[in-house]
Amino acid sequence: MEFPDLIWTILGILLTLMIFSYVWGDNPFFRTASYLFVGVTAGYVAVLLITQVILPRLAWPLLRTSTPTEKAIAAVGVVLALLLLTKLVRPLAWLGNLPMAYLTGAGAAVVIGGAVLGTIIPQTLDGITAFAPGGQLIDGLFMLIGTIATLAYFHFGARSRNGEPPGRGILVEGLSQAGKVFIGITLGALFAGVMAASLTALIERVDFLVTSLTQF
Amino acid sequence: MRSPTAAVIAIATSLLVLISYFVPAGPVLAMRSLLLDWAVILAAVAGVIAILNMVGVHFRRVRDNQPLAPYSLIVVVTFVITLLAGLFFSPSDPQFRQVVTAIQVPVEASLLAVVSISLAYAALRFFQNRKGLMAVTFAISAVVFLLLASGILAGLAQVPVLGTLLAVLNRLPMAGARGILLGVAIGSLIAGLRIAIGAHRPYSG
């Protein structure tokens, strides 16, 4: 093993053992490794944001050769960014509300578009397709019942009748009971997926430790 | 401070971007692209501000010699070194990437590995404390899908009846998943619409 590879391997072994020490509870080794990770990752993300977005989209169009339109577009971005930076200065923080409002408005519109075009329409169309001629009717019916039952479980609207305590209707209550089964199955499958992924990571790390230590 | 100007900006921006989804004409799409470009820049600046704020908290902890100050010193020092090295060498520099990856990959993979033990313990506590229809279905489903994910039952896929049963089992979580997905989407849609019409103003406007 060459010298630089040896250093990275030793670092990998140390960091792995420090994180694994968490099995015995929170301790200085685990904290050191996790704080080191936070510092490096924060620095790396800051570098990416500065070099991949802020410099090429804000600074370079203003400082380097570009058309007046590009300069004007970048200038608006600079103004918005400077207003946002006032969030760091308490007396001027209210000025930062303007770019935050802009960001929130744009984000809300993107979320609406994503929810409608990315989830609601495609999922609904997929549900309808099963009932088309040649579609899988039983599968479609099962999916439809499962979807409605799951949505009914999350329906918390209640109505009071004849002075009785507020409660859900019989139909919604029955569907929500079925919804519990469907949600339980889905969450169980998701749990199994996460568990399988983390077990794979555990096996990979143990294999790395054994392979590395036997090479010394 | 509640500012009507901020509310007007948020409502106008969201409506202008929303219009482009319904009127996909050239100038409207160009306007959406420009608005989203500025939003991306602002999001990047907001990200840098958030990171600086976090490092500032750790810096103050070191300066005031508070508990956990030695760990905060690690955060501040490694942040400054990574930032300066990244700006000097560029993030695409192979040696810079190797150093960052040599720290990130073992920690991330080991944390994920530790999650398996935490998950097993949490599941055990869950089954001890919660008993009901959902807990029972969750437990059965988790065991069945863990067996399926392990590959032990892979050979059964060739057997006619059992193969069909396995296919049906794999479809079971899809119904609940679609319901949850649609629920999340409807929730996001309502939250977005409340901001778009100015009923909810999380930007303090």
Side-chain angles (χ1 to χ4, degrees), chain B residues 134-147:
Chain B
M134 197 187 280
V136 171
T137 26
F138 176 83
I140 295 169
S141 171
V143 172
V144 168
F145 283 99
L146 263 176
L147 285 174

Side-chain angles (χ1 to χ4, degrees), chain A residues 127 130-131 136-145, chain B residues 171 178:
Chain A
F131 295 97
Q136 294 176 306
L137 188 65
I138 295 173
D139 183 61
L141 206 61
F142 171 77
M143 291 291 282
L144 181 68
I145 293 167
Chain B
R171 286 290 287 170
R178 178 170 287 170

Side-chain angles (χ1 to χ4, degrees), chain B residues 4 16 20 23 77 128:
Chain B
L16 285 171
S20 67
V23 189
V77 170
Q128 280 176 341

Side-chain angles (χ1 to χ4, degrees), chain A residues 8 16 28 31 35-36 39 41 43 51 57 73 97 101-103 105 109 123 126 139 142 184-186 188-189 195 198 202 205, chain B residues 6 10 13-14 35 37-39 68 71 75 78-79 91 98 104 110 112-113 116 138 141 171-173 176-178 192 203:
Chain A
W8 304 134
T16 303
R31 281 190 195 158
Y35 277 68
L36 174 75
T41 306
T51 57
R57 293 193 189 208
I73 289 169
N97 288 345
Y102 177 83
L103 197 56
Q123 289 293 333
D126 194 52
D139 183 61
F142 171 77
I185 291 170
T186 305
M195 192 75 183
S198 57
L202 179 64
R205 279 293 92 189
Chain B
T13 312
S14 57
L35 289 172
D37 264 358
W38 284 331
L68 304 176
Y71 303 109
V75 172
T78 51
F79 170 77
Q98 191 179 24
Q104 280 183 330
S110 305
L112 187 59
S116 65
F138 176 83
S141 171
R171 286 290 287 170
L172 279 177
R178 178 170 287 170
Y203 41 83

Side-chain angles (χ1 to χ4, degrees), chain B residues 49-164:
Chain B
I49 290 173
I51 290 170
L52 289 178
N53 189 43
M54 183 202 74
V55 176
V57 169
H58 284 285
F59 178 76
R60 281 191 289 278
R61 203 185 274 176
V62 175
R63 189 190 59 195
D64 302 339
N65 202 17
Q66 290 176 9
L68 304 176
Y71 303 109
S72 291
L73 184 65
I74 294 172
V75 172
V76 175
V77 170
T78 51
F79 170 77
V80 172
I81 292 171
T82 313
L83 182 70
L84 294 178
L87 292 176
F88 185 76
F89 293 110
S90 108
S92 55
D93 182 80
Q95 286 179 324
F96 173 73
R97 285 175 71 94
Q98 191 179 24
V99 176
V100 171
T101 311
I103 294 168
Q104 280 183 330
V105 170
V107 175
E108 281 176 3
S110 305
L111 282 172
L112 187 59
V114 171
V115 163
S116 65
I117 296 159
S118 307
L119 273 179
Y121 180 69
L124 202 68
R125 293 291 302 269
F126 175 75
F127 299 136
Q128 280 176 341
N129 297 330
R130 288 275 190 113
K131 288 173 182 70
L133 187 60
M134 197 187 280
V136 171
T137 26
F138 176 83
I140 295 169
S141 171
V143 172
V144 168
F145 283 99
L146 263 176
L147 285 174
L148 283 174
S150 70
I152 292 172
L153 306 175
L156 298 177
Q158 310 302 324
V159 183
V161 180
L162 291 175
T164 314

